[in-house]
Amino acid sequence: MTVVETAQRHRAASLDELRAAGRLVTHVEGHTICLLAEGDDVYAVDNRCPHMGFPLHRGTVSDGILTCHWHHARFDLCTGGTFDQWADELRRFPVEVDGEDVYVDLTPPPDRVAHQRKRLQVGLERDISLVVGKAAIVLSEADPTGVDAFRAGLDFGVRRRGGGWFRGLTTLTCLMNLVPRLDPEERAAALYHGLSDVASDSAGEAPRFPLEPLPGADTDPARLGRWFRGFVEVRDAEGAERAIVSAVRAGASQQELADMLFAATTDHRYLDGGHTLDFLNKALEALDVAGWERAEAVLASLPAQLAFAERMEEANAWRNPVDLVALLEDAFERLPDAAASGRGGWDGREALVELVLSGEAAEILEGLLAALREGATGVELASAVSFAAATRIARFPTSNEFGDWDTALHTFTFANAVEQGLRRSPSPELLRGVLDAAMSVHLDRFLNVPATRLPTPDPDAGPDALLAELPLLLDGQQHVDQAGRLAASYLAEGEGAKLVAALGACLLREDRNFHTIQCVEAAARQHELLRNTDEAGLPLIAAARYLAAHAPTARSQRQTYEIARRLHRGERIYEDEELPPAA
């Protein structure tokens, strides 16, 4: 039977020519194909190694295995399967020989998206950033919202990391929150960074072995909530985990579950320097994106963080020279009455922010209680404290030790998490977190001595030119004040959303820094909450300064992503010269 060319089947070479050479490189309908003659068999494979694009005609065949000489990836010629999981499967083209002619079938491989979902699991399990990057690009094209890839990373992280929710899942959720705010060409990079951090954070960890809920489905959620707080109190993570998964299985509402978790977290002061409550808030935000049907698995990852966190009542800074914990406990006793007596119409935000920034601890707590009595809501109180915390970063002088940036950052992300939590579920227990955040702002006061002046906008700067200048500015070290002035100048004329996208793009150029990612995400949220107010620009000025302090990095992780993107586009990573094929 004579083989004829069709839409998918094309003549590739002469059989005699192939057998004489042993291998040939041919270009067929946009494909660069390596033909190999091994004994009586003829094989056709994509000439680009699926790992990084090295030309496979330079490789070696031995006993049916094709080895790429760049990184020594090995492939079964019969199936294209790889023996090295970092390399991916090699695309084979079915071959038909008709007399003296070799034909190849160019039928596209089935369901590339499904294949990359599987590859994403490989990348996550083995912590292979290039594999994660390739998958993120394909999955982001198929689902521009990013939710598909986000769910895969979330499911992997909560199942895999034995120590529970930690940095990686928080990074992933922060970046997922930023995805809609980024320019479309940067969204896959955000997913790549978040997914890669989940893989890195889980690598070497023992896997999680989830607990079953209590038998039956009629346990009272309120009682489970009391048990949960009690178990966290005595650092019994397993008891707390069984209580929370039982509450999920018993049908507790989203608000009931949030209240259980926030109450246990604010039973103690500023757990783990603010990280614990921020992690909890991010877990709830992750469920908002991925779907609350994942609540049992996701919330089960939190008890270890709550139970084993450092409690600031155990820390010297919260006890000496002023016993802040004793002051807080006294304020907590008066908190319900203060909250209940308020009648609305509060207009003391500016004065309260200044008090939180400059007052003594006892004065600040009295001011917060007074604001509640004057009608401030819990969210209004939390927003004022979040703004004060952002001000610490916006006015942070570079004469401080470099590590002190993180001290101010922890307060800001904690305050932001308390505010976001109160917007979700305004419980009296979580309201205690506002007072904790205010005390942390107070403890950070010497980081603003002397306070850097807030930047004055340049009236002659054009918004488009400023956005173009930002990445150039961040190519140099410690252009902190210049970055703040640039942000202020842009905001005087430009749209805040475009500055958020620009900051996000600059963030994604750098190697991952957990705290910088937290800062940019929290600043974007605070900016949007303060939209159309005179305060809206300050969080972005703070973010620009913090990012500038932590740039530039080696940018090695972005290099890996760019390799994945170039391969996806079909670009050459290795510029092949016209040299004779390898023997």
Side-chain angles (χ1 to χ4, degrees), residues 8 35 67 72 130 165 206 288 294 307 349 354 364 379 408 500:
Q8 300 300 337
L35 298 171
T67 300
H72 308 289
L130 183 58
W165 189 287
D288 292 339
R294 288 170 163 78
R349 176 185 173 91
E354 182 56 35
I364 294 168
V379 168
V500 169

Side-chain angles (χ1 to χ4, degrees), residues 224-238:
L224 287 167
R226 293 195 300 272
W227 291 348
F228 180 78
R229 292 173 73 177
F231 292 138
V232 171
E233 178 67 29
V234 298
R235 301 187 186 276
D236 177 5
E238 285 196 349

Side-chain angles (χ1 to χ4, degrees), residues 208-285:
R208 289 197 70 248
F209 298 103
L211 299 176
E212 287 292 316
L214 294 168
D218 56 354
T219 307
D220 176 29
R223 177 181 292 181
L224 287 167
R226 293 195 300 272
W227 291 348
F228 180 78
R229 292 173 73 177
F231 292 138
V232 171
E233 178 67 29
V234 298
R235 301 187 186 276
D236 177 5
E238 285 196 349
E241 180 180 338
R242 197 157 203 207
I244 194 71
V245 299
S246 298
V248 174
R249 195 71 65 90
S253 68
Q254 294 179 23
Q255 182 169 344
E256 287 173 324
L257 293 168
D259 287 347
M260 282 177 64
L261 292 157
F262 282 130
T265 309
T266 54
D267 280 341
H268 295 281
R269 313 281 59 79
Y270 197 57
L271 293 180
D272 263 352
H275 281 120
T276 301
L277 194 141
D278 186 53
F279 290 174
L280 163 56
N281 182 61
K282 284 292 173 281
L284 299 177
E285 291 177 353

Side-chain angles (χ1 to χ4, degrees), residues 6 17 62 70 104 107 128 147 161 177 180 213 311 314 342 376 403 422 425 532 536 552 558:
T6 67
E17 184 183 2
S62 177
W70 205 359
V104 293
T107 301
I128 309 172
V147 173
R161 192 179 188 282
N177 286 342
R311 300 166 179 180
E314 303 164 343
L422 285 168
S425 179
N532 299 323
R558 183 69 185 210

